[in-house]
Amino acid sequence: MSDYEIQQRPRRLRMNATLRRMLEQVRLSCDDFVYPLFVKEGIKEDVAVVSMPGVFQRTLKSCVAEAKDAYKAGVPAIMLFGIPDKKDSKASGAYANDGIVQKAVSEIKAACPDLLVMTDVCLCEYMDHGHCGLVSKSGEILNDASLELLAQTALSHAQAGSDLVAPSDMMDFRVGAIRQMLDENGFTHIPIMSYAVKYASAFYGPFRDVAESAPKMGDRKSYQMNFSMTKEAIKEALLDESEGADIIMVKPAMAYLDIMRELRDVCSVPLAAYHVSGEYSMIKAASAQGWVDEMAVVKESFTAIKRAGAKIIITYFAKDFIQSL
Ligand code: PBG
């Protein structure tokens, strides 16, 4: 037995700023982030979005310019969303070869070849009813019939030059359908980041203002997950992995860090978190009032997301935050 009474004093490691920095377990870098951009067909000028200060529906030209600017600022990757001129009941604009996203991808890749361009694969922005899949006369979301359209959409993105496709529709089996379509057409090298664990969330409200994608009737609860579910997240993630997903996403981020932490133990692919529109807007609103320090809150949030297990964070703050690093 020792003669000394050893006192544990955790504060010893907190006294010196250099030592505190040296001991950090999670550190953010430019390469953690993906910056979402919205390109809208048929507008002459950018349209500001009231519920998301700093986010715009962009003209094709402005979208290309912003992508370039973001790349110069150190942003490694963008995620593209399109808003078509015309919507219909089969989302024709989503998989049109001359669709707005397809045009934006090829222009951005030509202007900025080293910027990683990801494309969101979904039908909701292109459907007159605003749902993420085909809808039957009785209002039912048609899972299997939607798969072909989603796969066509992903293929058209790859043909336009997309570096990675990210299906967000939440139909069952869409990862497998997209993988097969890409492989059969010579795009075996294009990865899929699946929005595998996507909850039916009120935090998407502001996004639907920007993307003009709010469902006209009903809600998304028959395809997006119930936010009280934990085990189902594991089921969704592993199923998507087995269908060929290369990266698994959890969405939203902050309210779902327990889910991220669970997936970290069971998934063998990298994990991504989508810090969604409502999470962005709440921070923007509070900081505009002077109630919180915007970048301090953002840094703390992203550190927590990474600590929980995310390798990649998709966020509207990406460019500003990287500039603050
Ligand atoms: C499309 C899609 C949505 C988001 C990303 N892709 C909205 C939705 O499911 O209604 C939300 C992103 C955000 O809120 O920032 N299906």
Side-chain angles (χ1 to χ4, degrees):
M1 279 289 276
S2 157
D3 294 337
Y4 301 107
E5 194 184 325
I6 306 294
Q7 280 192 308
Q8 279 294 344
R9 284 183 171 267
R11 288 187 56 218
R12 244 178 240 137
L13 296 182
R14 296 181 201 139
M15 296 293 184
N16 182 293
T18 304
L19 187 58
R20 273 202 304 275
R21 209 172 58 241
M22 291 171 71
L23 295 176
E24 281 175 0
Q25 293 180 317
V26 174
R27 223 171 263 157
L28 299 166
S29 92
C30 297
D31 290 331
D32 296 332
F33 299 102
V34 178
Y35 182 41
L37 288 176
F38 298 89
V39 58
K40 182 166 173 170
E41 199 168 40
I43 52 170
K44 297 231 159 57
E45 268 170 50
D46 291 355
V47 180
V49 182
V50 177
S51 57
M52 294 188 77
V55 174
F56 299 87
Q57 296 179 323
R58 294 181 183 276
T59 63
L60 186 52
K61 197 169 158 214
S62 153
C63 186
V64 177
E66 180 66 2
K68 254 169 122 169
D69 199 51
Y71 181 71
K72 268 195 224 131
V75 172
I78 61 166
M79 171 80 84
L80 270 182
F81 294 90
I83 306 136
D85 215 5
K86 292 196 196 73
K87 301 176 189 250
D88 60 28
S89 61
K90 46 187 181 45
S92 309
Y95 41 88
N97 287 329
D98 61 350
I100 187 65
V101 163
Q102 291 78 358
K103 280 186 194 160
V105 172
S106 70
E107 289 206 16
I108 291 167
K109 286 306 292 184
C112 206
D114 294 334
L115 176 68
L116 190 86
V117 176
M118 305 181 168
T119 48
D120 181 86
V121 174
C122 199
L123 306 176
C124 57
E125 296 96 338
Y126 305 87
M127 288 287 200
D128 48 18
H129 48 61
H131 278 290
C132 303
L134 290 163
V135 177
S136 75
K137 286 209 177 68
S138 60
E140 203 189 324
I141 313 297
L142 299 172
N143 192 94
D144 295 10
S146 304
L147 299 179
E148 173 68 20
L149 301 187
L150 290 161
Q152 283 295 344
T153 303
L155 176 60
S156 71
H157 291 179
Q159 285 167 335
S162 175
D163 294 304
L164 175 153
V165 293
S168 66
D169 54 281
M170 286 301 277
M171 297 301 118
D172 290 336
F173 310 126
R174 89 287 201 193
V175 172
I178 290 171
R179 185 71 272 160
Q180 190 178 343
M181 179 68 90
L182 291 176
D183 290 354
E184 284 171 2
N185 287 277
F187 294 101
T188 51
H189 57 289
I190 298 295
I192 299 173
M193 174 164 71
S194 173
Y195 291 65
V197 183
K198 177 173 177 179
Y199 287 91
S201 171
F203 286 100
Y204 308 151
F207 172 94
R208 293 178 190 169
D209 297 338
V210 190
E212 301 177 7
S213 65
K216 296 248 156 52
M217 69 287 179
D219 52 39
R220 303 209 201 287
K221 289 180 182 161
S222 79
Y223 45 106
Q224 298 181 350
M225 292 168 60
N226 182 325
F227 54 72
S228 81
M229 305 300 265
T230 305
K231 290 276 186 234
E232 196 177 71
I234 297 172
K235 181 165 152 185
E236 281 282 7
L238 295 183
L239 197 59
D240 280 13
E241 263 196 64
S242 75
E243 287 176 35
D246 301 284
I247 301 174
I248 293 288
M249 188 201 296
V250 176
K251 176 184 175 198
M254 294 301 289
Y256 297 84
L257 296 185
D258 58 325
I259 304 296
M260 181 66 69
R261 186 61 189 78
E262 294 247 355
L263 292 188
R264 178 164 121 182
D265 291 336
V266 297
C267 289
S268 58
V269 299
L271 302 175
Y274 200 138
H275 188 257
V276 301
S277 56
E279 302 180 85
Y280 173 85
S281 299
M282 290 193 307
I283 295 175
K284 279 287 184 190
S287 70
Q289 298 281 342
W291 293 341
V292 296
D293 174 339
E294 179 172 326
M295 280 305 143
V297 167
V298 167
K299 182 179 180 188
E300 187 176 332
S301 302
F302 293 165
T303 304
I305 294 169
K306 203 169 168 183
R307 200 178 62 223
K311 189 79 196 92
I312 291 175
I313 302 170
I314 299 129
T315 168
Y316 306 96
F317 284 113
K319 187 175 146 201
D320 287 350
F321 184 68
I322 283 171
Q323 278 168 333
S324 82
L325 279 176

